[in-house]
Amino acid sequence: MKNILFLMKSMQGGGAEKVLLNILKNMDYQKYNISLVLVFNEGIYLNDIPKNVKVSYIFEKETYENNQMIINQSKSVYLNNIKEDYDIEIAFLEGICTKIIGNSTQNSKKIAWVHVDLLNCHYTSSMYNSIKEEEDTYHQFDEIVFVSNYVKESFYKLFPSLNTKGRVLYNPIDIDQIKKLSKAFNVDYDKTTFITIGRLTNQKGFDRLINAVSKLSNENFNFQIIILGKGPKYNELKEQIHNLKLENYIFLKGFEPNPYPYLLASNAFISSSRSEGLALVLCEALILNKQIIATNCSGVNEALDYGKYGHIIENSELGIYIGIKDFLINGSNYTISEKAFSKFSLKKSIEKICDLIDNTSLPKSGI
């Protein structure tokens, strides 16, 4: 039985956390002994972790001091907290998890997951003193997993010496479960409704979406925007909505454990992101045959097959404004076939992840 460690920052309500849960819920626990170590013991998904998984954490909460300790003393953080022996060590989030596992002294196979377009959203740079240090850290890994081809190509542009490593594994999505959950209860809207779902962070571009709606509100369109999610930008976005007098247009509904009935009942899904790897919720919108309006960034083109399955708009506040206005005036009728989301099949993705874990014959890598 293989001993496997997944290291994750926390279990907050983001796409990477949902992907990790899908993986953990579908692993063979007769074959694998799985441990999950959280850097911070926080998040709305903590209670959803399967009982078969051994869970521990490094810090109780995320604080400035704790982050600084990881940045400056990552090797000590690893040695003081990762005590068991593992055959496979997986840093399931770029940046903080990659830095910690990169300091492992174990003779294990090390795998790093990359969920975002680091070339255009290099948020992990704050964890390192230089790009070279970050690049050197990735050299400690035997395998790098990218959630889309675009994410892989961007990564290689940022870190050219790593272009011989890596493979693309699409996020596993339980297609049947999403369809089932979408019918768990009824949701009715009395006007044209756009929905967007995600962590309230700068990356998701909700501030741009609010400004675009402000322009449209002055043009007498009758519609509403539902935003499902929580995150550090909540108060800032709430204040922005209030200052622009958009309380009748935009509704911050917080985190919803089952967002799919709300998504199913909407007229269209909007992605206003500044950058994306391969947005999980956009793929879920495809599964529910929703019309999609999405800013042109990294994995969006890959998910929508370059505009075949949804309206890809300019990645700007103006692009969002034009995209919504065009929908309100002309509607949208993209045909979404099963081919659009079959590559995210849970069974196929889990099989590929298990193949990655079981293939332990790769030589150790080093700087």
Side-chain angles (χ1 to χ4, degrees):
M1 181 178 286
K2 282 190 172 68
N3 292 322
I4 302 171
L5 167 67
F6 284 88
L7 182 70
M8 187 58 172
K9 181 179 179 181
S10 68
M11 292 306 291
Q12 300 286 9
E17 291 86 347
K18 286 180 70 176
V19 171
L20 177 58
L21 281 176
N22 269 344
I23 293 172
L24 295 177
K25 288 177 179 178
N26 290 278
M27 297 298 282
D28 183 352
Y29 288 91
Q30 300 299 314
K31 186 176 179 182
Y32 306 117
N33 181 29
I34 296 179
S35 296
L36 171 63
V37 175
L38 300 173
V39 181
F40 306 113
N41 189 37
E42 300 175 311
I44 50 185
Y45 289 133
L46 284 173
N47 294 328
D48 296 322
I49 300 169
K51 301 302 181 186
N52 290 332
V53 177
K54 182 180 178 181
V55 183
S56 60
Y57 61 89
I58 297 174
F59 299 106
E60 184 70 47
K61 294 181 178 180
E62 182 174 8
T63 64
Y64 173 81
E65 291 75 17
N66 289 338
N67 276 313
Q68 286 301 114
M69 184 177 292
I70 295 166
I71 291 170
N72 299 317
Q73 303 175 47
S74 51
K75 188 164 188 175
S76 295
V77 169
Y78 179 91
L79 293 173
N80 291 333
N81 292 279
I82 310 297
K83 300 293 189 180
E84 296 187 28
D85 294 329
Y86 295 101
D87 300 299
I88 315 288
E89 292 183 281
I90 300 173
F92 202 72
L93 195 69
E94 57 282 329
I96 195 166
C97 297
T98 303
K99 183 154 190 173
I100 293 172
I101 296 295
N103 282 281
S104 169
T105 56
Q106 296 196 36
N107 186 28
S108 59
K109 180 178 181 181
K110 297 172 181 65
I111 303 169
W113 236 265
V114 180
H115 299 267
V116 302
D117 172 5
L118 286 176
L119 181 65
N120 293 302
C121 182
H122 196 191
Y123 80 98
T124 60
S125 62
S126 62
M127 298 296 302
Y128 299 89
N129 294 317
S130 65
I131 287 182
K132 185 180 185 305
E133 183 190 353
E134 187 171 6
E135 191 167 23
D136 288 346
T137 299
Y138 276 106
H139 274 290
Q140 301 303 317
F141 288 83
D142 301 289
E143 189 79 52
I144 304 172
V145 173
F146 305 99
V147 299
S148 73
N149 286 295
Y150 195 104
V151 168
K152 182 180 73 170
E153 291 163 8
S154 292
F155 183 90
Y156 290 159
K157 289 176 183 176
L158 186 62
F159 305 119
S161 70
L162 290 158
N163 66 4
T164 58
K165 293 188 181 188
R167 67 177 76 185
V168 173
L169 292 181
Y170 289 121
N171 292 330
I173 302 177
D174 192 336
I175 294 170
D176 293 336
Q177 180 71 351
I178 287 172
K179 290 180 177 179
K180 179 181 177 181
L181 287 172
S182 72
K183 298 175 182 176
F185 52 87
N186 291 323
V187 175
D188 293 313
Y189 300 121
D190 60 1
K191 62 182 72 173
T192 299
T193 300
F194 303 91
I195 193 167
T196 186
I197 305 168
R199 285 264 294 157
L200 305 184
T201 62
N202 185 63
Q203 176 200 344
K204 298 300 181 181
F206 295 134
D207 56 317
R208 303 190 301 175
L209 175 61
I210 293 169
N211 286 335
V213 171
S214 180
K215 294 178 184 177
L216 290 163
S217 70
N218 296 321
E219 300 178 28
N220 296 317
F221 288 107
N222 186 29
F223 70 99
Q224 64 180 350
I225 305 278
I226 306 294
I227 301 177
L228 298 182
K230 61 186 297 187
K233 291 289 184 179
Y234 176 82
N235 290 332
E236 189 176 317
L237 294 174
K238 186 176 181 181
E239 183 178 359
Q240 185 183 0
I241 292 168
H242 174 73
N243 290 340
L244 293 172
K245 298 180 172 59
L246 296 175
E247 288 90 344
N248 293 326
Y249 285 91
I250 304 178
F251 301 90
L252 289 174
K253 294 291 191 179
F255 175 76
E256 173 55 55
N258 180 10
Y260 305 114
Y262 301 93
L263 177 57
L264 183 66
S266 68
N267 296 93
F269 171 79
I270 293 181
S271 172
S272 56
S273 294
R274 290 179 165 88
S275 65
E276 283 289 352
L278 191 67
L280 181 67
V281 68
L282 187 146
C283 301
E284 293 171 339
L286 285 174
I287 289 168
L288 296 180
N289 288 288
K290 301 312 301 178
Q291 299 300 300
I292 293 171
I293 303 167
T295 49
N296 188 359
C297 57
S298 51
V300 167
N301 273 301
E302 198 165 332
L304 297 180
D305 197 7
Y306 299 89
K308 183 176 181 180
Y309 300 121
H311 185 193
I312 299 174
I313 58 177
E314 179 184 289
N315 193 343
S316 67
E317 186 178 304
L318 178 62
I320 297 166
Y321 162 78
I322 293 172
I324 296 174
K325 185 173 182 177
D326 182 63
F327 186 97
L328 290 168
I329 294 172
N330 301 312
S332 178
N333 60 350
Y334 286 90
T335 300
I336 302 168
S337 66
E338 188 172 336
K339 185 179 179 182
F341 52 81
S342 60
K343 59 187 172 186
F344 308 115
S345 158
L346 181 67
K347 184 174 183 295
K348 289 179 183 177
S349 294
I350 293 297
E351 284 176 354
K352 290 180 179 179
I353 291 168
C354 290
D355 178 67
L356 168 66
I357 288 170
D358 291 337
N359 179 16
T360 57
S361 60
L362 289 174
K364 288 294 298 171
S365 300
I367 298 175

